[in-house]
PDB file of all heavy atoms in Angstrom:
ATOM      1  N   GLY A 177       5.851  67.207-153.429  1.00 86.00           N
ATOM      2  CA  GLY A 177       5.136  66.453-154.455  1.00 86.00           C
ATOM      3  C   GLY A 177       3.868  65.771-153.981  1.00 86.00           C
ATOM      4  O   GLY A 177       3.275  64.993-154.732  1.00 86.00           O
ATOM      5  N   ALA A 178       3.419  66.044-152.777  1.00 84.00           N
ATOM      6  CA  ALA A 178       2.202  65.415-152.271  1.00 84.00           C
ATOM      7  C   ALA A 178       0.971  66.035-152.914  1.00 84.00           C
ATOM      8  O   ALA A 178       0.900  67.248-153.087  1.00 84.00           O
ATOM      9  CB  ALA A 178       2.129  65.555-150.748  1.00 84.00           C
ATOM     10  N   GLN A 179       0.010  65.190-153.279  1.00 89.00           N
ATOM     11  CA  GLN A 179      -1.247  65.660-153.829  1.00 89.00           C
ATOM     12  C   GLN A 179      -2.177  66.128-152.710  1.00 89.00           C
ATOM     13  O   GLN A 179      -1.946  65.869-151.538  1.00 89.00           O
ATOM     14  CB  GLN A 179      -1.914  64.554-154.650  1.00 89.00           C
ATOM     15  CG  GLN A 179      -1.077  64.049-155.811  1.00 89.00           C
ATOM     16  CD  GLN A 179      -0.811  65.151-156.831  1.00 89.00           C
ATOM     17  OE1 GLN A 179      -1.692  65.948-157.145  1.00 89.00           O
ATOM     18  NE2 GLN A 179       0.423  65.192-157.345  1.00 89.00           N
ATOM     19  N   ASP A 180      -3.264  66.809-153.095  1.00 87.00           N
ATOM     20  CA  ASP A 180      -4.156  67.422-152.103  1.00 87.00           C
ATOM     21  C   ASP A 180      -4.747  66.401-151.144  1.00 87.00           C
ATOM     22  O   ASP A 180      -4.815  66.635-149.932  1.00 87.00           O
ATOM     23  CB  ASP A 180      -5.281  68.184-152.816  1.00 87.00           C
ATOM     24  CG  ASP A 180      -4.791  69.457-153.478  1.00 87.00           C
ATOM     25  OD1 ASP A 180      -3.694  69.919-153.115  1.00 87.00           O
ATOM     26  OD2 ASP A 180      -5.485  69.998-154.357  1.00 87.00           O
ATOM     27  N   TRP A 181      -5.210  65.266-151.672  1.00 89.00           N
ATOM     28  CA  TRP A 181      -5.828  64.278-150.803  1.00 89.00           C
ATOM     29  C   TRP A 181      -4.825  63.703-149.811  1.00 89.00           C
ATOM     30  O   TRP A 181      -5.152  63.493-148.646  1.00 89.00           O
ATOM     31  CB  TRP A 181      -6.461  63.160-151.628  1.00 89.00           C
ATOM     32  CG  TRP A 181      -6.976  62.034-150.786  1.00 89.00           C
ATOM     33  CD1 TRP A 181      -6.496  60.762-150.741  1.00 89.00           C
ATOM     34  CD2 TRP A 181      -8.051  62.085-149.838  1.00 89.00           C
ATOM     35  NE1 TRP A 181      -7.209  60.000-149.842  1.00 89.00           N
ATOM     36  CE2 TRP A 181      -8.172  60.790-149.264  1.00 89.00           C
ATOM     37  CE3 TRP A 181      -8.914  63.089-149.402  1.00 89.00           C
ATOM     38  CZ2 TRP A 181      -9.130  60.498-148.294  1.00 89.00           C
ATOM     39  CZ3 TRP A 181      -9.872  62.789-148.438  1.00 89.00           C
ATOM     40  CH2 TRP A 181      -9.963  61.515-147.896  1.00 89.00           C
ATOM     41  N   ARG A 182      -3.601  63.465-150.295  1.00 90.00           N
ATOM     42  CA  ARG A 182      -2.577  62.929-149.393  1.00 90.00           C
ATOM     43  C   ARG A 182      -2.189  63.966-148.336  1.00 90.00           C
ATOM     44  O   ARG A 182      -1.930  63.608-147.181  1.00 90.00           O
ATOM     45  CB  ARG A 182      -1.346  62.496-150.186  1.00 90.00           C
ATOM     46  CG  ARG A 182      -0.288  61.836-149.313  1.00 90.00           C
ATOM     47  CD  ARG A 182       0.895  61.357-150.110  1.00 90.00           C
ATOM     48  NE  ARG A 182       1.898  60.756-149.253  1.00 90.00           N
ATOM     49  CZ  ARG A 182       3.080  60.329-149.669  1.00 90.00           C
ATOM     50  NH1 ARG A 182       3.412  60.431-150.958  1.00 90.00           N
ATOM     51  NH2 ARG A 182       3.948  59.793-148.824  1.00 90.00           N
ATOM     52  N   ILE A 183      -2.150  65.241-148.718  1.00 90.00           N
ATOM     53  CA  ILE A 183      -1.848  66.289-147.738  1.00 90.00           C
ATOM     54  C   ILE A 183      -2.914  66.306-146.652  1.00 90.00           C
ATOM     55  O   ILE A 183      -2.608  66.374-145.454  1.00 90.00           O
ATOM     56  CB  ILE A 183      -1.754  67.660-148.440  1.00 90.00           C
ATOM     57  CG1 ILE A 183      -0.541  67.705-149.375  1.00 90.00           C
ATOM     58  CG2 ILE A 183      -1.676  68.783-147.414  1.00 90.00           C
ATOM     59  CD1 ILE A 183      -0.474  68.960-150.214  1.00 90.00           C
ATOM     60  N   PHE A 184      -4.166  66.229-147.068  1.00 90.00           N
ATOM     61  CA  PHE A 184      -5.249  66.243-146.082  1.00 90.00           C
ATOM     62  C   PHE A 184      -5.195  65.014-145.182  1.00 90.00           C
ATOM     63  O   PHE A 184      -5.322  65.118-143.963  1.00 90.00           O
ATOM     64  CB  PHE A 184      -6.601  66.307-146.802  1.00 90.00           C
ATOM     65  CG  PHE A 184      -7.779  66.147-145.878  1.00 90.00           C
ATOM     66  CD1 PHE A 184      -8.177  67.191-145.059  1.00 90.00           C
ATOM     67  CD2 PHE A 184      -8.479  64.951-145.823  1.00 90.00           C
ATOM     68  CE1 PHE A 184      -9.261  67.051-144.203  1.00 90.00           C
ATOM     69  CE2 PHE A 184      -9.561  64.805-144.971  1.00 90.00           C
ATOM     70  CZ  PHE A 184      -9.949  65.847-144.158  1.00 90.00           C
ATOM     71  N   ARG A 185      -4.970  63.854-145.796  1.00 89.00           N
ATOM     72  CA  ARG A 185      -5.017  62.600-145.026  1.00 89.00           C
ATOM     73  C   ARG A 185      -3.806  62.434-144.121  1.00 89.00           C
ATOM     74  O   ARG A 185      -3.944  62.029-142.960  1.00 89.00           O
ATOM     75  CB  ARG A 185      -5.095  61.422-146.000  1.00 89.00           C
ATOM     76  CG  ARG A 185      -5.238  60.057-145.349  1.00 89.00           C
ATOM     77  CD  ARG A 185      -5.073  58.984-146.397  1.00 89.00           C
ATOM     78  NE  ARG A 185      -3.743  59.031-147.000  1.00 89.00           N
ATOM     79  CZ  ARG A 185      -3.426  58.473-148.165  1.00 89.00           C
ATOM     80  NH1 ARG A 185      -4.340  57.856-148.888  1.00 89.00           N
ATOM     81  NH2 ARG A 185      -2.179  58.544-148.617  1.00 89.00           N
ATOM     82  N   SER A 186      -2.617  62.765-144.602  1.00 89.00           N
ATOM     83  CA  SER A 186      -1.395  62.459-143.870  1.00 89.00           C
ATOM     84  C   SER A 186      -0.846  63.626-143.058  1.00 89.00           C
ATOM     85  O   SER A 186      -0.122  63.403-142.086  1.00 89.00           O
ATOM     86  CB  SER A 186      -0.296  61.993-144.853  1.00 89.00           C
ATOM     87  OG  SER A 186      -0.741  60.862-145.585  1.00 89.00           O
ATOM     88  N   VAL A 187      -1.187  64.853-143.441  1.00 89.00           N
ATOM     89  CA  VAL A 187      -0.617  66.022-142.763  1.00 89.00           C
ATOM     90  C   VAL A 187      -1.682  66.764-141.953  1.00 89.00           C
ATOM     91  O   VAL A 187      -1.523  66.993-140.752  1.00 89.00           O
ATOM     92  CB  VAL A 187       0.040  66.975-143.786  1.00 89.00           C
ATOM     93  CG1 VAL A 187       0.588  68.210-143.076  1.00 89.00           C
ATOM     94  CG2 VAL A 187       1.145  66.252-144.552  1.00 89.00           C
ATOM     95  N   VAL A 188      -2.764  67.133-142.610  1.00 90.00           N
ATOM     96  CA  VAL A 188      -3.769  67.995-141.971  1.00 90.00           C
ATOM     97  C   VAL A 188      -4.609  67.223-140.954  1.00 90.00           C
ATOM     98  O   VAL A 188      -4.831  67.691-139.833  1.00 90.00           O
ATOM     99  CB  VAL A 188      -4.666  68.638-143.044  1.00 90.00           C
ATOM    100  CG1 VAL A 188      -5.770  69.470-142.391  1.00 90.00           C
ATOM    101  CG2 VAL A 188      -3.831  69.505-143.975  1.00 90.00           C
ATOM    102  N   LEU A 189      -5.084  66.053-141.346  1.00 90.00           N
ATOM    103  CA  LEU A 189      -6.003  65.306-140.476  1.00 90.00           C
ATOM    104  C   LEU A 189      -5.392  64.992-139.115  1.00 90.00           C
ATOM    105  O   LEU A 189      -6.056  65.167-138.087  1.00 90.00           O
ATOM    106  CB  LEU A 189      -6.468  64.032-141.185  1.00 90.00           C
ATOM    107  CG  LEU A 189      -7.779  63.416-140.683  1.00 90.00           C
ATOM    108  CD1 LEU A 189      -8.916  64.427-140.798  1.00 90.00           C
ATOM    109  CD2 LEU A 189      -8.117  62.161-141.478  1.00 90.00           C
ATOM    110  N   PRO A 190      -4.137  64.521-139.030  1.00 89.00           N
ATOM    111  CA  PRO A 190      -3.562  64.298-137.697  1.00 89.00           C
ATOM    112  C   PRO A 190      -3.465  65.560-136.854  1.00 89.00           C
ATOM    113  O   PRO A 190      -3.603  65.494-135.624  1.00 89.00           O
ATOM    114  CB  PRO A 190      -2.170  63.735-138.005  1.00 89.00           C
ATOM    115  CG  PRO A 190      -2.295  63.120-139.355  1.00 89.00           C
ATOM    116  CD  PRO A 190      -3.242  64.006-140.097  1.00 89.00           C
ATOM    117  N   MET A 191      -3.238  66.698-137.493  1.00 89.00           N
ATOM    118  CA  MET A 191      -3.159  67.948-136.741  1.00 89.00           C
ATOM    119  C   MET A 191      -4.533  68.411-136.262  1.00 89.00           C
ATOM    120  O   MET A 191      -4.644  69.196-135.318  1.00 89.00           O
ATOM    121  CB  MET A 191      -2.516  69.037-137.605  1.00 89.00           C
ATOM    122  CG  MET A 191      -1.103  68.708-138.056  1.00 89.00           C
ATOM    123  SD  MET A 191      -0.402  69.960-139.170  1.00 89.00           S
ATOM    124  CE  MET A 191      -0.224  71.329-138.044  1.00 89.00           C
ATOM    125  N   MET A 192      -5.580  67.912-136.897  1.00 89.00           N
ATOM    126  CA  MET A 192      -6.944  68.313-136.544  1.00 89.00           C
ATOM    127  C   MET A 192      -7.584  67.428-135.486  1.00 89.00           C
ATOM    128  O   MET A 192      -8.709  67.713-135.048  1.00 89.00           O
ATOM    129  CB  MET A 192      -7.837  68.295-137.792  1.00 89.00           C
ATOM    130  CG  MET A 192      -7.501  69.334-138.835  1.00 89.00           C
ATOM    131  SD  MET A 192      -8.598  69.189-140.273  1.00 89.00           S
ATOM    132  CE  MET A 192     -10.186  69.590-139.537  1.00 89.00           C
ATOM    133  N   VAL A 193      -6.905  66.348-135.081  1.00 87.00           N
ATOM    134  CA  VAL A 193      -7.540  65.359-134.197  1.00 87.00           C
ATOM    135  C   VAL A 193      -8.157  65.966-132.943  1.00 87.00           C
ATOM    136  O   VAL A 193      -9.314  65.672-132.614  1.00 87.00           O
ATOM    137  CB  VAL A 193      -6.529  64.245-133.844  1.00 87.00           C
ATOM    138  CG1 VAL A 193      -7.048  63.387-132.690  1.00 87.00           C
ATOM    139  CG2 VAL A 193      -6.283  63.360-135.057  1.00 87.00           C
ATOM    140  N   PRO A 194      -7.444  66.813-132.190  1.00 85.00           N
ATOM    141  CA  PRO A 194      -8.086  67.359-130.979  1.00 85.00           C
ATOM    142  C   PRO A 194      -9.373  68.124-131.270  1.00 85.00           C
ATOM    143  O   PRO A 194     -10.368  67.972-130.562  1.00 85.00           O
ATOM    144  CB  PRO A 194      -7.003  68.277-130.398  1.00 85.00           C
ATOM    145  CG  PRO A 194      -5.722  67.748-130.942  1.00 85.00           C
ATOM    146  CD  PRO A 194      -6.047  67.258-132.313  1.00 85.00           C
ATOM    147  N   GLY A 195      -9.363  68.939-132.318  1.00 88.00           N
ATOM    148  CA  GLY A 195     -10.575  69.674-132.670  1.00 88.00           C
ATOM    149  C   GLY A 195     -11.677  68.758-133.159  1.00 88.00           C
ATOM    150  O   GLY A 195     -12.858  68.976-132.866  1.00 88.00           O
ATOM    151  N   LEU A 196     -11.325  67.710-133.895  1.00 91.00           N
ATOM    152  CA  LEU A 196     -12.337  66.788-134.412  1.00 91.00           C
ATOM    153  C   LEU A 196     -12.962  65.967-133.300  1.00 91.00           C
ATOM    154  O   LEU A 196     -14.106  65.535-133.418  1.00 91.00           O
ATOM    155  CB  LEU A 196     -11.715  65.877-135.473  1.00 91.00           C
ATOM    156  CG  LEU A 196     -11.240  66.569-136.745  1.00 91.00           C
ATOM    157  CD1 LEU A 196     -10.700  65.557-137.742  1.00 91.00           C
ATOM    158  CD2 LEU A 196     -12.379  67.387-137.374  1.00 91.00           C
ATOM    159  N   VAL A 197     -12.220  65.723-132.227  1.00 90.00           N
ATOM    160  CA  VAL A 197     -12.811  65.042-131.070  1.00 90.00           C
ATOM    161  C   VAL A 197     -13.949  65.871-130.504  1.00 90.00           C
ATOM    162  O   VAL A 197     -15.018  65.343-130.146  1.00 90.00           O
ATOM    163  CB  VAL A 197     -11.741  64.763-130.000  1.00 90.00           C
ATOM    164  CG1 VAL A 197     -12.385  64.306-128.695  1.00 90.00           C
ATOM    165  CG2 VAL A 197     -10.763  63.699-130.489  1.00 90.00           C
ATOM    166  N   THR A 198     -13.751  67.176-130.426  1.00 89.00           N
ATOM    167  CA  THR A 198     -14.810  68.060-129.941  1.00 89.00           C
ATOM    168  C   THR A 198     -16.013  68.023-130.873  1.00 89.00           C
ATOM    169  O   THR A 198     -17.160  67.948-130.427  1.00 89.00           O
ATOM    170  CB  THR A 198     -14.284  69.497-129.819  1.00 89.00           C
ATOM    171  OG1 THR A 198     -13.164  69.509-128.930  1.00 89.00           O
ATOM    172  CG2 THR A 198     -15.350  70.422-129.292  1.00 89.00           C
ATOM    173  N   VAL A 199     -15.763  68.075-132.187  1.00 92.00           N
ATOM    174  CA  VAL A 199     -16.858  67.996-133.156  1.00 92.00           C
ATOM    175  C   VAL A 199     -17.605  66.673-133.010  1.00 92.00           C
ATOM    176  O   VAL A 199     -18.845  66.636-133.019  1.00 92.00           O
ATOM    177  CB  VAL A 199     -16.316  68.153-134.593  1.00 92.00           C
ATOM    178  CG1 VAL A 199     -17.413  67.918-135.618  1.00 92.00           C
ATOM    179  CG2 VAL A 199     -15.706  69.534-134.778  1.00 92.00           C
TER     180      VAL A 199
END
Side-chain angles (χ1 to χ4, degrees):
Q179 301 297 319
D180 288 342
W181 173 247
R182 184 177 179 185
I183 293 173
F184 173 76
R185 184 189 62 199
S186 302
V187 178
V188 177
L189 202 58
M191 300 176 69
M192 293 179 64
V193 167
L196 295 182
V197 169
T198 302
V199 174

